[in-house]
Amino acid sequence: MNVPAPIQAAVFDLDGLLVNTEELYQHVGSELLRRRGKTFGPDLLDAMMGRPPAVSLAIMIEWHGLADTVETLAAETGAIFAGLLDERLEPMPGAVDLVDVLAGRGLPRAVATSSGPAFARDVLGRVGLLDRFAFVLTSADVVNGKPDPEIYLAAAARLGVDPAAMIVFEDSHNGCRAAVAAGAVVVAVPGGHSRRHDFTGARLIADSLADPRIAGLLTG
Protein backbone atom coordinates (compact mmCIF):
# COMPACT_ATOMS: atom_id res chain seq x y z
CA MET A 1 0.00 0.00 0.00
CA ASN A 2 1.37 3.41 -0.96
CA VAL A 3 1.13 5.90 1.89
CA PRO A 4 1.20 9.56 0.75
CA ALA A 5 4.27 11.44 1.93
CA PRO A 6 3.59 14.29 4.37
CA ILE A 7 3.77 17.68 2.71
CA GLN A 8 7.14 19.30 3.38
CA ALA A 9 7.04 22.32 1.03
CA ALA A 10 4.70 24.33 -1.18
CA VAL A 11 5.26 25.83 -4.63
CA PHE A 12 2.96 28.30 -6.37
CA ASP A 13 2.49 29.30 -9.96
CA LEU A 14 2.20 33.07 -10.31
CA ASP A 15 -0.03 34.35 -13.13
CA GLY A 16 -3.70 33.72 -12.49
CA LEU A 17 -2.86 31.81 -9.32
CA LEU A 18 -1.26 34.22 -6.85
CA VAL A 19 -2.09 37.41 -8.75
CA ASN A 20 -4.70 38.33 -11.34
CA THR A 21 -2.21 38.84 -14.15
CA GLU A 22 -3.69 36.05 -16.31
CA GLU A 23 -6.81 38.17 -16.64
CA LEU A 24 -4.63 41.17 -17.49
CA TYR A 25 -2.65 39.14 -20.05
CA GLN A 26 -5.91 38.29 -21.79
CA HIS A 27 -6.68 41.99 -22.05
CA VAL A 28 -3.21 42.68 -23.48
CA GLY A 29 -3.46 39.81 -25.98
CA SER A 30 -6.85 41.03 -27.13
CA GLU A 31 -5.50 44.56 -27.60
CA LEU A 32 -2.41 43.35 -29.50
CA LEU A 33 -4.55 41.43 -31.94
CA ARG A 34 -7.27 44.10 -32.19
CA ARG A 35 -4.61 46.50 -33.46
CA ARG A 36 -3.85 43.97 -36.21
CA GLY A 37 -7.44 43.18 -37.12
CA LYS A 38 -7.34 39.78 -35.43
CA THR A 39 -9.20 38.16 -32.53
CA PHE A 40 -7.93 36.48 -29.38
CA GLY A 41 -10.07 33.34 -29.34
CA PRO A 42 -10.30 30.71 -26.59
CA ASP A 43 -8.31 28.08 -28.49
CA LEU A 44 -5.38 30.46 -28.92
CA LEU A 45 -5.58 31.41 -25.25
CA ASP A 46 -5.46 27.71 -24.31
CA ALA A 47 -2.37 27.20 -26.45
CA MET A 48 -0.57 30.18 -24.89
CA MET A 49 -1.63 29.86 -21.26
CA GLY A 50 1.09 28.81 -18.81
CA ARG A 51 3.86 29.02 -21.42
CA PRO A 52 6.98 31.22 -21.21
CA PRO A 53 6.40 34.69 -22.71
CA ALA A 54 8.54 34.20 -25.81
CA VAL A 55 6.87 30.86 -26.55
CA SER A 56 3.40 32.35 -26.06
CA LEU A 57 4.10 35.21 -28.43
CA ALA A 58 5.60 32.85 -31.01
CA ILE A 59 2.40 30.81 -30.84
CA MET A 60 0.35 33.99 -31.39
CA ILE A 61 2.47 34.97 -34.39
CA GLU A 62 2.17 31.53 -36.01
CA TRP A 63 -1.52 31.21 -35.17
CA HIS A 64 -2.47 34.39 -37.00
CA GLY A 65 0.41 34.55 -39.50
CA LEU A 66 1.57 37.89 -38.11
CA ALA A 67 4.50 39.75 -39.67
CA ASP A 68 5.72 40.87 -36.22
CA THR A 69 8.72 39.43 -34.39
CA VAL A 70 8.55 38.11 -30.84
CA GLU A 71 10.69 41.06 -29.75
CA THR A 72 8.29 43.59 -31.30
CA LEU A 73 5.26 42.03 -29.63
CA ALA A 74 7.11 41.73 -26.32
CA ALA A 75 7.90 45.46 -26.31
CA GLU A 76 4.32 46.34 -27.19
CA THR A 77 3.04 43.97 -24.51
CA GLY A 78 5.21 45.62 -21.90
CA ALA A 79 3.94 49.07 -22.81
CA ILE A 80 0.27 48.02 -22.55
CA PHE A 81 0.85 46.01 -19.40
CA ALA A 82 2.57 48.76 -17.43
CA GLY A 83 -0.58 50.82 -17.11
CA LEU A 84 -2.72 47.81 -16.23
CA LEU A 85 -0.43 46.81 -13.35
CA ASP A 86 -0.74 50.25 -11.79
CA GLU A 87 -4.52 50.23 -12.06
CA ARG A 88 -5.73 46.65 -11.72
CA LEU A 89 -3.13 44.31 -10.17
CA GLU A 90 -4.33 42.44 -7.05
CA PRO A 91 -3.74 39.12 -5.28
CA MET A 92 -6.12 36.30 -6.08
CA PRO A 93 -8.77 35.35 -3.49
CA GLY A 94 -7.25 33.40 -0.60
CA ALA A 95 -3.64 33.86 -1.76
CA VAL A 96 -2.34 35.95 1.12
CA ASP A 97 -4.18 33.92 3.75
CA LEU A 98 -2.91 30.59 2.38
CA VAL A 99 0.67 31.85 2.36
CA ASP A 100 0.16 32.89 5.99
CA VAL A 101 -1.19 29.43 6.88
CA LEU A 102 1.78 27.69 5.25
CA ALA A 103 4.21 30.02 7.02
CA GLY A 104 2.49 29.27 10.31
CA ARG A 105 3.02 25.56 9.71
CA GLY A 106 6.70 26.17 9.02
CA LEU A 107 6.47 24.92 5.44
CA PRO A 108 9.01 26.46 3.03
CA ARG A 109 7.42 28.20 0.08
CA ALA A 110 8.55 29.07 -3.45
CA VAL A 111 7.20 30.38 -6.73
CA ALA A 112 7.71 28.62 -10.09
CA THR A 113 6.47 30.72 -12.99
CA SER A 114 6.74 30.86 -16.76
CA SER A 115 7.10 34.65 -16.52
CA GLY A 116 10.46 36.43 -16.61
CA PRO A 117 12.41 37.32 -13.44
CA ALA A 118 11.96 41.10 -13.48
CA PHE A 119 8.22 40.83 -14.03
CA ALA A 120 7.74 38.12 -11.39
CA ARG A 121 9.62 40.05 -8.72
CA ASP A 122 7.82 43.27 -9.65
CA VAL A 123 4.28 41.91 -9.29
CA LEU A 124 5.07 39.91 -6.14
CA GLY A 125 6.59 43.02 -4.61
CA ARG A 126 3.58 45.15 -5.56
CA VAL A 127 1.19 42.83 -3.67
CA GLY A 128 3.51 42.38 -0.68
CA LEU A 129 4.33 38.71 -1.29
CA LEU A 130 7.89 38.75 -2.58
CA ASP A 131 9.50 38.36 0.84
CA ARG A 132 7.13 35.52 1.76
CA PHE A 133 8.93 33.02 -0.50
CA ALA A 134 12.32 31.37 -0.17
CA PHE A 135 12.97 31.89 -3.89
CA VAL A 136 11.29 32.55 -7.24
CA LEU A 137 12.06 30.34 -10.25
CA THR A 138 11.23 31.86 -13.63
CA SER A 139 11.61 31.19 -17.35
CA ALA A 140 15.23 32.33 -17.01
CA ASP A 141 16.01 29.38 -14.73
CA VAL A 142 15.01 26.54 -17.05
CA VAL A 143 15.69 25.30 -20.54
CA ASN A 144 12.28 23.74 -21.05
CA GLY A 145 9.19 25.64 -19.94
CA LYS A 146 5.88 24.20 -18.75
CA PRO A 147 4.36 21.71 -19.54
CA ASP A 148 7.84 20.19 -19.15
CA PRO A 149 8.39 19.28 -15.46
CA GLU A 150 11.86 20.87 -15.33
CA ILE A 151 10.87 23.91 -13.27
CA TYR A 152 9.10 21.83 -10.60
CA LEU A 153 11.91 19.29 -10.40
CA ALA A 154 14.29 22.23 -9.94
CA ALA A 155 12.07 23.68 -7.21
CA ALA A 156 11.99 20.37 -5.32
CA ALA A 157 15.77 20.02 -5.58
CA ARG A 158 16.35 23.55 -4.32
CA LEU A 159 13.88 23.04 -1.47
CA GLY A 160 15.60 19.77 -0.60
CA VAL A 161 12.42 17.69 -0.74
CA ASP A 162 11.14 14.75 -2.76
CA PRO A 163 8.62 15.99 -5.36
CA ALA A 164 6.05 13.62 -3.82
CA ALA A 165 6.28 15.66 -0.59
CA MET A 166 5.76 18.99 -2.39
CA ILE A 167 2.34 20.52 -2.94
CA VAL A 168 1.98 22.61 -6.10
CA PHE A 169 -0.76 25.12 -6.85
CA GLU A 170 -1.52 25.71 -10.54
CA ASP A 171 -4.30 27.35 -12.55
CA SER A 172 -3.59 26.13 -16.11
CA HIS A 173 -3.44 22.80 -17.89
CA ASN A 174 0.17 23.35 -18.97
CA GLY A 175 1.22 24.09 -15.41
CA CYS A 176 -0.75 21.16 -14.04
CA ARG A 177 0.86 18.80 -16.55
CA ALA A 178 4.30 20.03 -15.53
CA ALA A 179 3.66 19.52 -11.81
CA VAL A 180 2.01 16.12 -12.26
CA ALA A 181 4.91 14.95 -14.44
CA ALA A 182 7.32 16.07 -11.72
CA GLY A 183 5.52 13.80 -9.25
CA ALA A 184 4.17 16.56 -7.01
CA VAL A 185 0.86 16.72 -5.15
CA VAL A 186 -1.06 19.06 -7.42
CA VAL A 187 -3.93 21.38 -6.55
CA ALA A 188 -5.57 22.90 -9.60
CA VAL A 189 -7.20 26.27 -8.98
CA PRO A 190 -8.95 27.16 -12.23
CA GLY A 191 -10.11 30.71 -12.71
CA GLY A 192 -12.06 32.36 -15.47
CA HIS A 193 -11.04 30.90 -18.80
CA SER A 194 -9.08 27.96 -17.35
CA ARG A 195 -12.21 26.40 -15.85
CA ARG A 196 -12.51 24.56 -19.18
CA HIS A 197 -9.00 23.06 -18.92
CA ASP A 198 -8.10 19.41 -18.39
CA PHE A 199 -6.54 18.94 -14.95
CA THR A 200 -5.93 15.21 -15.18
CA GLY A 201 -3.64 14.05 -12.37
CA ALA A 202 -4.48 16.86 -9.95
CA ARG A 203 -5.18 15.67 -6.41
CA LEU A 204 -7.78 18.39 -5.96
CA ILE A 205 -9.57 20.90 -8.17
CA ALA A 206 -10.15 23.76 -5.76
CA ASP A 207 -12.68 26.56 -5.96
CA SER A 208 -9.99 29.09 -4.97
CA LEU A 209 -6.90 29.29 -2.77
CA ALA A 210 -9.37 29.77 0.11
CA ASP A 211 -10.91 26.32 -0.51
CA PRO A 212 -11.06 24.56 2.93
CA ARG A 213 -10.25 21.21 1.31
CA ILE A 214 -6.65 22.34 0.79
CA ALA A 215 -6.05 21.99 4.54
CA GLY A 216 -6.78 18.27 4.30
CA LEU A 217 -3.98 17.77 1.79
CA LEU A 218 -1.52 19.62 4.02
CA THR A 219 -2.13 17.22 6.88
CA GLY A 220 -1.96 14.10 4.69
Side-chain angles (χ1 to χ4, degrees), residues 132-149:
R132 308 303 305 278
F133 296 99
F135 57 86
V136 178
L137 292 180
T138 72
S139 58
D141 297 302
V142 294
V143 175
N144 302 298
K146 302 173 187 178
D148 190 279

Side-chain angles (χ1 to χ4, degrees), residues 3-142:
V3 179
I7 298 300
Q8 298 173 12
V11 181
F12 292 80
D13 176 46
L14 177 62
D15 297 301
L17 191 282
L18 281 174
V19 291
N20 67 330
T21 43
E22 197 64 60
E23 168 196 337
L24 304 187
Y25 274 130
Q26 292 176 34
H27 177 88
V28 172
S30 295
E31 176 60 16
L32 282 176
L33 290 174
R34 183 197 66 78
R35 293 175 179 182
R36 291 158 175 82
K38 307 291 185 180
T39 57
F40 195 31
D43 290 341
L44 174 56
L45 179 55
D46 279 342
M48 294 172 62
M49 197 169 180
R51 297 293 190 94
V55 175
S56 291
L57 292 175
I59 290 171
M60 177 183 282
I61 289 169
E62 182 177 0
W63 194 281
H64 280 298
L66 302 180
D68 303 85
T69 65
V70 167
E71 292 74 18
T72 299
L73 289 185
E76 195 171 338
T77 294
I80 300 170
F81 215 95
L84 290 177
L85 289 180
D86 290 337
E87 298 170 1
R88 294 170 50 182
L89 178 69
E90 59 185 14
M92 295 294 285
V96 175
D97 288 343
L98 179 56
V99 171
D100 286 343
V101 167
L102 295 170
R105 291 171 179 260
L107 291 176
R109 303 160 308 284
V111 172
T113 175
S114 294
S115 290
F119 176 81
R121 296 182 68 84
D122 181 27
V123 297
L124 286 169
R126 285 172 183 255
V127 297
L129 287 174
L130 182 59
D131 294 337
R132 308 303 305 278
F133 296 99
F135 57 86
V136 178
L137 292 180
T138 72
S139 58
D141 297 302
V142 294

